[in-house]
């Protein structure tokens, strides 16, 4: 009897698991020569993407970068569990790579963690080759939270030929005030020995190199966030160099509930740019 019950429960679990599978969310492992081991990626497509009636339809893509200590499951499973619904509502494809704790740099110390090269040279071409994307900068966006906010803005500023739209929520856009935190020394070496490299690797240091209007930018930060001051400084620096951008400062801290709300503003902003 116990054996029968165990088997019945096992079958029930399999059926429940199969029934709970979301066809809009796919997990991929993309072979790479830039990162080791190969990176996992979650791709979220709009409902009906695979329907015959939509076979010729192409979609804009938003790349979504997670924060330090998290992984590729962050956005669709923890920060914004309604990401599948948002993909459908906005008719967008979302791509969520595993950035590990790389800060989305090419590491100076680890040849198996060349994250910038992986994303720009392998991930984006793979997505365009295997999904019905609109494969041009005007219809690509990149955004992220915390570490991912830094990564998203930095990648877009350095690669405007890939992304024409970028965002950051609670981004570590200037990490020099935090020299002992979040594995930054793994990517850049110890701060005291590499101050120049640290400083020129920040988002805020790139502002003078930007062409006004080349990338559509939105970023925000909560007033109780430990990154509030550096985001305010980034806003002032962009004003100084006349870089058009949307900047939002509102009550909130460094947390998933804040980011769950913030991403809605980013998607609205991107949609307006995609449909121009």
């Amino acid at each position: 009897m116990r054996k029968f019950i165990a088997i019945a429960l096992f079958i029930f679990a399999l059926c429940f698991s199969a029934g709970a599978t979301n066809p809009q969310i796919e997990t991929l492992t993309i072979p790479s020569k830039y990162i080791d081991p190969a990176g996992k990626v979650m791709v979220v497509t709009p409902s009906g993407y695979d329907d015959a009636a939509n076979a010729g339809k192409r979609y804009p893509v938003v790349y979504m970068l997670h924060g330090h200590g998290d992984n590729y499951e962050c956005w669709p499973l923890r920060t914004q569990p309604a990401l599948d619904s948002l993909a459908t509502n906005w008719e967008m494809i979302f791509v969520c790579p595993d950035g590990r704790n790389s800060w989305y740099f090419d590491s100076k110390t680890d040849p198996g963690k060349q994250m910038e090269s992986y994303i720009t040279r392998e991930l984006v071409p793979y997505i365009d080759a295997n999904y019905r994307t609109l494969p041009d900068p005007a219809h690509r966006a990149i955004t992220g939270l915390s570490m991912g906010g830094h990564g998203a803005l930095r990648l877009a500023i350095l690669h405007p030929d890939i992304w024409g739209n970028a965002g950051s929520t609670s981004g570590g856009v200037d990490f020099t005030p935090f020299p002992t935190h979040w594995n930054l020394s793994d990517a850049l070496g110890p701060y005291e020995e590499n101050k120049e490299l640290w400083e020129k690797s920040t988002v805020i240091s790139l502002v003078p190199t930007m062409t006004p209007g080349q990338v559509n930018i939105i970023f925000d930060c909560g007033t109780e966030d430990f990154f509030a001051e550096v985001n305010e400084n980034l806003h002032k620096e962009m004003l100084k160099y006349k870089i058009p951008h949307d900047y939002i400062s509102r009550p909130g801290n460094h947390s998933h509930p804040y980011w769950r709300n913030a991403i809605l503003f980013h998607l609205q902003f991107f949609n307006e740019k995609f449909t121009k």
Side-chain angles (χ1 to χ4, degrees), residues 13-27 42 77 84:
L14 287 178
C15 292
F16 179 81
S17 176
T21 299
N22 188 338
Q24 290 179 242
I25 300 179
E26 182 179 12
T27 301
M42 272 194 170
L77 297 189
D84 52 349

Side-chain angles (χ1 to χ4, degrees), residues 50-210:
D50 292 323
D51 292 354
N54 295 322
K57 185 176 180 62
R58 291 186 170 271
Y59 300 85
V61 184
V62 180
Y63 289 78
M64 306 180 74
L65 308 184
H66 64 77
H68 184 271
D70 219 316
N71 60 30
Y72 65 98
E73 296 179 325
C74 168
W75 278 105
L77 297 189
R78 287 183 284 283
T79 303
Q80 182 48 267
L83 207 57
D84 52 349
S85 297
L86 294 175
T88 300
N89 293 342
W90 292 109
E91 294 193 307
M92 300 174 183
I93 295 172
F94 300 135
V95 179
C96 306
D98 195 339
R100 297 160 191 176
N101 287 332
S102 67
W103 281 80
Y104 302 96
F105 292 121
D106 282 349
S107 173
K108 306 298 182 186
T109 60
D110 185 349
K113 196 178 284 186
Q114 306 301 298
M115 196 60 66
E116 179 180 346
S117 293
Y118 162 68
I119 291 174
T120 59
R121 299 181 184 182
E122 293 180 331
L123 177 60
V124 173
Y126 181 94
I127 296 299
D128 285 340
N130 289 277
Y131 291 86
R132 296 194 312 278
T133 67
L134 290 164
D136 60 79
H139 294 95
R140 271 193 218 103
I142 186 168
T143 189
L145 62 88
S146 193
M147 177 185 81
H150 150 82
L153 290 182
R154 181 178 177 275
L155 287 171
I157 292 169
L158 293 177
H159 302 277
D161 56 318
I162 299 177
W163 292 283
N165 310 278
S168 166
T169 180
S170 304
V173 294
D174 180 5
F175 40 71
T176 56
F178 311 94
T180 62
H181 291 64
W182 310 305
N183 296 94
L184 279 158
S185 60
D186 291 349
L188 301 172
Y191 176 68
E192 291 299 325
E193 301 169 22
N194 300 276
K195 287 185 179 180
E196 183 179 356
L197 175 61
W198 275 62
E199 289 166 3
K200 74 177 185 180
S201 297
T202 63
V203 170
I204 197 168
S205 74
L206 296 174
V207 174
T209 72
M210 297 176 67

